[in-house]
Amino acid sequence: MGSAACRRLSQEASLVIGVDNDLRARFFGPEASTWAVSHSLGEELPNFQLRPVDIRDEASVSELFRLYGDRIDVIVHAAAQPSHDWAARDPFTDFEVNARGTLVMLECTRRYAPGAVFVHLSTNKVYGDHPNTLPLVEHATRWELDPSHRWARLGFDESMSLDDTTHSLFGVSKTTGDLYAQEYGRYFGLQTTALRCGCLTGPGSAGAELHGFLAYLAKCTYLGRPYRVLGYKGKQVRDNLHCDDLVEAIMRIIADPGRGEAYNMGGGRRSNCSMLEAISLTEEIAERRLRWEYEEENRLGDHIWWISDTSRFEARYQGWKPVNDVPAILESIIRDGAQRWTP
């Protein structure tokens, strides 16, 4: 998401600063590193600068903000530790990145660039596994919400409760950041918006087993690597949003910012699939078979069925809707990956 945002914003801004110290490589290994992408942006975009700053380091972040001050127009905060499983292994680092890192970014915005637009990429995990308590119907390749339920037609909206549910530790730390972003808008008057995203993906995604399932699935299929499906008979459903579609949503926010707003954001009913459907579609597009195995135990707190209702965002920012569906997303990932994954 960071690189997609940089490319789009470079068309409008005199300078784009990418803040990335490549913690993703520590989280998920060298194949998940963002280092090559970050450096290629410097060659591709003449108005791009890379700053390998750790967002947990208040002094370093403050120095960067102080350098540019009120010349900063936009902050797109996409940095995160994004995995359920990794968070359980190291809760302190997870909290430091997702909660404290977000607080550092917000406080530096308040001190040095209070007029900037602040877009925070949050997650649907703020709602925990509450969706799993709702009536679900099993079909041949997917689970579906009972059609009589009020959320069945468009998906889950922002009225879903954040309480009485298992979030995972990752979900808790991200919820903290989400609430801080809202509070800095409501309490201090900053122009903040939190986008509660489902699965974000697209070409260039450094997909890993613990995060970025469509990109990792495509990579395993293309390279003939084994793949594990965890729980729910492989029929768990996710909506998937192409990075370019999310960036266009961000551009709408920049043009007309709110204060302390929060929206569900994802592919919705236009772009979603189950794990089984994703495997079948990936095999068809890649023209290769995936070697996969099934494990009965699901990840703790994982959603069985999630589709985002983005109608509230679409009403606020009329004219925006996802352009890319799952087949288009997978085609772009495999087309890009065929060049990057082949030695």
Side-chain angles (χ1 to χ4, degrees):
M1 278 312 311
S3 60
C6 287
R7 288 188 179 95
R8 180 65 179 85
L9 289 167
S10 70
Q11 301 172 23
E12 312 290 339
S14 59
L15 177 64
V16 176
I17 298 171
V19 179
D20 186 4
N21 65 340
D22 201 23
L23 266 183
R24 189 176 175 87
R26 175 187 164 191
F27 297 150
F28 309 125
E31 286 196 350
S33 171
T34 59
W35 199 247
V37 174
S38 295
H39 280 273
S40 69
L41 287 173
E43 300 174 356
E44 178 186 343
L45 307 175
N47 56 343
F48 174 82
Q49 290 183 9
L50 174 63
R51 299 295 183 96
V53 173
D54 190 325
I55 63 168
R56 298 171 293 178
D57 184 347
E58 183 180 355
S60 296
V61 176
S62 294
E63 181 181 352
L64 181 61
F65 269 78
R66 189 162 45 240
L67 179 63
Y68 293 100
D70 60 9
R71 288 178 292 168
I72 300 173
D73 296 310
V74 178
I75 297 102
V76 178
H77 178 38
Q81 188 300 109
S83 167
H84 296 218
D85 302 307
W86 203 98
R89 298 173 190 170
D90 190 346
F92 285 103
T93 298
D94 174 77
F95 186 85
E96 284 286 310
V97 173
N98 292 346
R100 190 177 189 280
T102 301
L103 177 59
V104 168
M105 294 293 292
L106 286 163
E107 182 60 17
C108 286
T109 302
R110 183 173 79 92
R111 292 175 185 172
Y112 304 111
V117 179
F118 192 106
V119 182
H120 173 51
L121 299 192
S122 183
T123 172
N124 58 23
K125 296 304 179 187
V126 300
Y127 301 111
D129 66 354
H130 180 67
N132 294 357
T133 66
L134 302 177
L136 295 167
V137 179
E138 184 177 359
H139 295 274
T141 61
R142 61 160 50 202
W143 295 97
E144 271 290 347
L145 194 59
D146 187 295
S148 64
H149 197 279
R150 66 187 179 98
W151 283 322
R153 187 174 71 87
L154 294 177
F156 298 121
D157 63 32
E158 294 83 357
S159 67
M160 179 178 287
S161 174
L162 277 60
D163 298 318
D164 300 320
T165 181
T166 300
H167 289 83
S168 79
L169 297 181
F170 155 74
V172 172
S173 64
K174 286 293 289 183
T175 300
T176 304
D178 181 299
L179 295 177
Y180 266 125
Q182 291 186 64
E183 198 65 18
Y184 267 70
R186 295 174 182 274
Y187 195 90
F188 293 119
L190 296 188
Q191 298 178 110
T192 63
T193 298
L195 297 178
R196 295 170 173 172
C197 302
C199 292
L200 305 177
T201 190
S205 173
E209 184 175 16
L210 297 182
H211 180 252
F213 99 90
L214 265 190
Y216 184 66
L217 171 65
K219 187 174 186 177
C220 288
T221 304
Y222 191 83
L223 296 180
R225 295 181 179 180
Y227 186 88
R228 293 189 304 156
V229 175
L230 303 178
Y232 304 134
K233 302 181 182 180
K235 299 181 180 182
Q236 55 267 54
V237 171
R238 300 287 183 274
D239 64 352
N240 295 270
L241 186 65
H242 194 285
C243 55
D244 291 345
D245 288 326
L246 179 55
V247 169
E248 287 308 313
I250 291 171
M251 297 305 293
R252 300 298 180 99
I253 295 169
I254 293 170
D256 184 15
R259 299 182 188 275
E261 296 180 1
Y263 299 95
N264 288 353
M265 177 56 56
R269 280 293 187 183
R270 300 181 182 96
S271 177
N272 66 85
C273 62
S274 72
M275 181 61 71
L276 292 180
E277 291 165 352
I279 291 173
S280 177
L281 189 56
T282 303
E283 290 179 330
E284 178 183 340
I285 294 171
E287 298 181 337
R288 306 185 184 196
R289 300 291 294 178
L290 174 67
R291 294 190 295 122
W292 64 280
E293 60 182 27
Y294 176 74
E295 294 184 14
E296 186 66 37
E297 185 175 358
N298 59 274
R299 294 187 303 169
L300 184 64
D302 202 16
H303 291 148
I304 302 173
W305 187 89
W306 180 276
I307 290 178
S308 309
D309 177 3
T310 60
S311 60
R312 185 163 165 262
F313 183 88
E314 293 180 47
R316 170 77 163 82
Y317 297 99
Q318 295 187 15
W320 178 87
K321 64 180 180 180
V323 174
N324 299 278
D325 59 10
V326 173
I329 292 171
L330 279 169
E331 286 172 1
S332 69
I333 291 173
I334 293 171
R335 183 172 58 249
D336 174 80
Q339 301 175 4
R340 293 189 296 112
W341 301 330
T342 303

